[in-house]
Amino acid sequence: MAESWVNFAERLGADLHLELTGPGSRRAVLMRALREAVQSGRLAPGTRLPPYRSLAADLGIARNTVGDAYAELVAEGWLTARQGSGTRVAERAAPLTPVRSRRTPVRPAKPVYDLVQGQPDPSVFPRAAWLASARRALTAAPHDAFGPGDPRGRRELRVALAGYLARVRGVRTSPERIVVCSGTAHALRLMASVVGGRWAVESYGLPFHRALLAAEKVTTVPLGVDEHGARADRLGDEQAVLLTPAHQFPTGGPLQAARRTAVVDWARSTGGVVLEDDYDGEFRYDRRPVGAVQGLDPDRVVFMGSVSKSLSPTLRIGWMVLPGQLVEEVVRTKGEREQYASATEQLTLADFIASGAYDRHVRRMRQRHRRRRDRLVSVLAERAPQVRVSGMAAGLHAVLELPRGTERAVVKAAAWQGLAVEGLAGYRHPGYAGESRDGLVVGYATPPEHLYPGALDALCCALPLD
């Protein structure tokens, strides 16, 4: 039986009439009616629609049904939603006549804005300071630097790293326990080959890392994550556990002190290995620095880091701080010669650290990232106060918590705004049976300065109103 709803004049200043007819769910029927009203020109671009609570009450259907219909039409480009402005017919959704020529809006072929986490803005690479270090390093380089490389890495870099990591991250090591690699992915491949078996991994983490471990025949078991970090009390008979203790990726927050101790106790009692991914430990804003778990037991913890977040992923330089009993086996697995990290870039990084340039760059980037983060929080507080922001005390990204069931629609809506951003669902371990979360992982370090305001505007336009 056909239904209609009329007389929204008190709210909109004009009557609005839609016929809800035809097959399908209530949401599908409502979406079809709204599309038809836009296509025919009865709802002109810029027309404000009723709040979905009001519309749901008038139609006698669930608020979620109307809210989902609005969200899907925003994602498709028919409507726009902005805090303080309500839900309106999109300016691009012009009437299409005649009916036979109807077309759906075209999604932008390439994102205009990028809030995907994972890398710093490449325009802020410290070119002058890096070039100065490269000149000094090449001038002082011994002849053997231009021969076959040592698979442990250049000693100059290992010495510089030992001092830096001890001072900044509380790592207990010597140059002999450090092996240079091309990044965390390379370190994980080496450790998978050496340790093997079953690993516990955080229930939310990089799918790339899980796929990499699976390719190396390592079975991953999801370990629940809450506001205190990974659930160390649920570790079992796994051979290793992979953690991001300084800033859980991607949900945020450090691993609680009691759980850090519990992880080390587990490794001691079972003979397991703790792999500590320190992917952005140098960037913290509203809390005291959190030292490395490795400092609690250097004989049970492998500490992994790189310059991908602090300098650039193109340098392909990372490191492993290893328990003494694993060094030789890791080196054998890596191969007789250095095949990955350039010796000249290793020497340059060694000088960059020793000269203090690396510290100065990190401090400068910490201030820049904090300003970026604060602006994100300020804009959201003004335009989307219903969205809770978490995981922002450190790192290069924040998590925007969304109402249940809205994540996919918001990501689609962002794409229609020309914005690349990722949802939490893509980071969830497929074998995790715990409660799921809806949210966006927003990388605020990536956009160049002139595009950041537009990126935040696009983000706010894609978010649900409540």
Side-chain angles (χ1 to χ4, degrees):
M1 177 178 178
E3 299 178 2
S4 65
W5 51 274
V6 296
N7 295 327
F8 284 99
E10 292 182 2
R11 301 184 194 89
L12 301 176
D15 290 343
L16 179 61
H17 178 86
L18 292 179
E19 292 291 337
L20 303 185
T21 60
S25 65
R26 288 293 183 95
R27 184 182 70 170
V29 171
L30 176 58
M31 289 173 63
R32 185 164 59 243
L34 286 168
R35 287 194 199 98
E36 187 279 330
V38 173
Q39 287 179 316
S40 67
R42 292 194 296 109
L43 287 179
T47 300
R48 183 170 182 171
L49 299 184
Y52 72 80
R53 286 189 176 87
S54 301
L55 179 55
D58 287 324
L59 291 176
I61 60 179
R63 290 184 298 177
N64 286 348
T65 299
V66 181
D68 289 348
Y70 277 12
E72 285 292 328
L73 291 173
V74 168
E76 293 178 5
W78 296 102
L79 307 178
T80 62
R82 183 175 298 184
Q83 182 68 27
S85 182
T87 304
R88 297 179 180 270
V89 177
E91 294 296 333
R92 71 181 71 174
L96 303 174
T97 55
V99 173
R100 290 183 180 179
S101 66
R102 290 178 182 176
R103 298 175 299 168
T104 57
V106 177
R107 175 175 172 170
K110 184 178 180 181
V112 179
Y113 307 108
D114 186 357
L115 290 178
V116 174
Q117 66 76 34
Q119 70 176 53
D121 176 5
S123 69
V124 297
F125 183 83
R127 301 186 189 200
W130 185 261
L131 180 59
S133 286
R135 286 173 173 162
R136 287 192 298 266
L138 287 175
T139 300
H143 296 314
D144 66 3
F146 303 97
D150 184 344
R152 297 171 185 264
R154 291 296 307 180
R155 180 169 177 80
E156 295 91 337
L157 177 56
R158 291 186 284 120
V159 169
L161 285 171
Y164 176 81
L165 295 174
R167 173 170 54 86
V168 174
R169 303 294 298 120
V171 170
R172 295 161 55 194
T173 191
S174 66
E176 287 68 34
R177 288 192 175 198
I178 297 177
V179 173
V180 176
C181 54
S182 66
T184 302
H186 186 201
L188 285 177
R189 288 191 183 96
L190 292 171
M191 293 309 304
S193 179
V194 170
V195 178
R198 296 169 69 248
W199 290 17
V201 299
E202 292 162 328
S203 55
Y204 282 85
L206 274 176
F208 169 65
H209 285 173
R210 293 194 296 266
L212 180 155
L213 293 174
E216 298 294 329
K217 312 301 182 187
V218 169
T219 301
T220 58
V221 180
L223 192 64
V225 171
D226 60 22
E227 66 273 18
H228 301 302
R231 292 294 305 272
D233 58 315
R234 298 186 179 178
L235 287 168
D237 60 354
E238 297 86 8
Q239 281 67 50
V241 57
L242 173 61
L243 300 173
T244 52
H247 184 224
Q248 200 287 320
F249 181 85
T251 63
L255 186 64
Q256 185 188 47
R259 294 188 182 181
R260 294 158 70 92
T261 302
V263 167
V264 172
D265 288 342
W266 166 84
R268 289 170 176 168
S269 63
T270 65
V273 178
V274 179
L275 293 107
E276 180 174 12
D277 181 0
D278 196 60
Y279 69 101
D280 64 1
E282 292 139 323
F283 297 113
R284 75 277 179 186
Y285 313 113
D286 300 327
R287 69 178 192 217
R288 296 177 62 186
V290 178
V293 172
Q294 189 268 0
L296 299 178
D297 193 337
D299 292 326
R300 302 302 332 166
V301 182
V302 176
F303 180 90
M304 303 178 296
S306 77
V307 296
S308 292
K309 302 293 188 297
S310 57
L311 283 171
S312 169
T314 61
L315 293 177
R316 310 307 304 151
I317 298 179
W319 48 84
M320 292 180 285
V321 179
L322 295 163
Q325 68 272 19
L326 291 179
V327 173
E328 292 303 324
E329 192 172 358
V330 168
V331 172
R332 281 197 304 271
T333 302
K334 188 179 178 187
E336 295 182 0
R337 297 182 179 183
E338 177 59 67
Q339 305 175 52
Y340 305 97
S342 162
T344 55
E345 289 191 340
Q346 289 184 54
L347 291 171
T348 301
L349 179 58
D351 181 272
F352 200 69
I353 294 171
S355 68
Y358 190 60
D359 284 273
R360 290 190 292 274
H361 174 72
V362 168
R363 285 196 297 270
R364 188 163 54 249
M365 290 301 98
R366 190 182 296 142
Q367 294 170 358
R368 183 179 190 269
H369 298 331
R370 179 168 187 160
R371 288 195 298 269
R372 288 286 189 96
R373 185 210 61 171
D374 290 349
R375 186 166 186 177
L376 168 67
V377 173
S378 175
V379 169
L380 289 173
E382 178 183 350
R383 297 180 54 183
Q386 74 284 358
V387 175
R388 180 173 179 269
V389 188
S390 62
M392 57 183 178
L396 307 181
H397 72 273
V399 174
L400 276 56
E401 300 184 13
L402 298 174
R404 185 176 298 278
T406 63
E407 179 183 305
R408 182 179 299 180
V410 172
V411 172
K412 289 174 61 178
W416 280 101
Q417 298 290 338
L419 172 66
V421 69
E422 296 174 325
L424 267 177
Y427 296 97
R428 180 184 170 92
H429 193 293
Y432 182 57
E435 185 177 3
S436 63
R437 300 171 55 179
D438 281 55
L440 296 182
V441 182
V442 177
Y444 48 78
T446 303
E449 206 66 45
H450 70 285
L451 290 179
Y452 193 51
L456 295 184
D457 183 66
L459 174 66
C460 290
C461 289
L463 293 172
L465 293 179
D466 50 24

